């Protein structure tokens, strides 16, 4: 599996870029999975559902299966958050895994940057960031793409990964 990341500070357009890239690569015929890192507590399950009740009762892992989807929820119960490499190993094989977040991991990334967010660029200090997708012109030592230029960004990633 090939891995490429989208990184950047909050409110700089990471999720929108991820969504557009997933759609673009799928339209090109690639199979795509994603991993999203969250810095806050998150729960995809809802109180009152049977699966939530199983977790509340102490289950370490709950698999919720239907004709349209399978969800696997794992409770860490005080254990350390699994590293990205371990999460990647759990995925079914696909052509491309797009990773949102994980700023400090060494995989190749593109940084999403919006001038209006008022944050500093990460790229100048991070060689794993191979390009920047921005809503403003930037002078950098690596390619800069229009933040909304999804096809051009996908072309760059495709070439970088030799897909």
């Amino acid at each position: 599996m090939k891995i490429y990341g989208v990184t950047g500070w909050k409110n700089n357009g990471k999720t929108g870029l991820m969504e557009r890239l997933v759609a673009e690569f799928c339209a090109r015929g690639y199979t795509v999975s994603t991993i999203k890192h969250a810095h806050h507590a998150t729960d995809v399950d809802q109180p009152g559902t049977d699966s939530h009740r199983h977790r509340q009762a102490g289950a370490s892992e709950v698999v919720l299966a239907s004709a349209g989807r399978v969800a696997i929820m794992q409770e860490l119960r005080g254990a350390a958050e699994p590293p990205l490499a371990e999460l990647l190993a759990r995925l079914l094989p696909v052509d491309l895994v797009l990773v949102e977040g994980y700023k400090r991991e060494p995989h190749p990334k593109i940084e999403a940057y919006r001038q209006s967010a008022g944050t500093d660029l990460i790229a100048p200090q991070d060689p794993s960031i191979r390009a920047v997708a921005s809503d403003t012109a930037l002078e950098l030592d690596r390619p800069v793409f229009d933040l909304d230029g999804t096809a051009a960004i996908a072309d760059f990633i495709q070439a970088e990964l030799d897909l």
Side-chain angles (χ1 to χ4, degrees), residues 42-125:
T42 185
D43 194 345
V44 297
D45 207 3
Q46 300 299 312
T49 62
D50 293 350
S51 55
H52 188 268
R53 291 171 61 189
H54 296 182
R55 288 175 41 231
Q56 292 303 107
S60 295
E61 188 168 71
V62 175
V63 177
L64 179 61
S66 70
R69 163 176 311 110
V70 173
I72 301 173
M73 292 168 280
Q74 298 171 330
E75 293 296 312
L76 295 178
R77 305 217 185 273
E81 178 181 339
L84 178 59
E86 184 179 318
L87 297 174
L88 290 165
R90 294 179 189 179
L91 293 177
L92 295 174
V94 292
D95 298 316
L96 175 62
V97 178
L98 291 172
V99 177
E100 182 177 344
Y102 290 95
K103 287 179 197 69
R104 289 159 184 64
E105 293 288 328
H107 61 278
K109 304 172 201 65
I110 187 161
E111 180 177 356
Y113 178 78
R114 281 195 178 121
Q115 187 175 32
S116 63
T119 58
D120 292 331
L121 275 168
I122 302 167
Q125 292 79 39

Side-chain angles (χ1 to χ4, degrees), residues 6 13 16-22 24-25 28 110-114 131-136 143-158:
V6 174
L17 179 55
M18 282 281 293
E19 182 179 15
R20 293 188 307 276
L21 286 171
V22 169
E24 179 70 23
F25 280 111
R28 293 178 184 201
I110 187 161
E111 180 177 356
Y113 178 78
R114 281 195 178 121
V132 174
S134 176
D135 65 352
T136 189
V144 177
F145 296 94
D146 184 301
L147 185 57
D148 293 322
T150 307
I153 295 167
D155 289 344
F156 176 79
I157 293 170
Q158 189 172 341

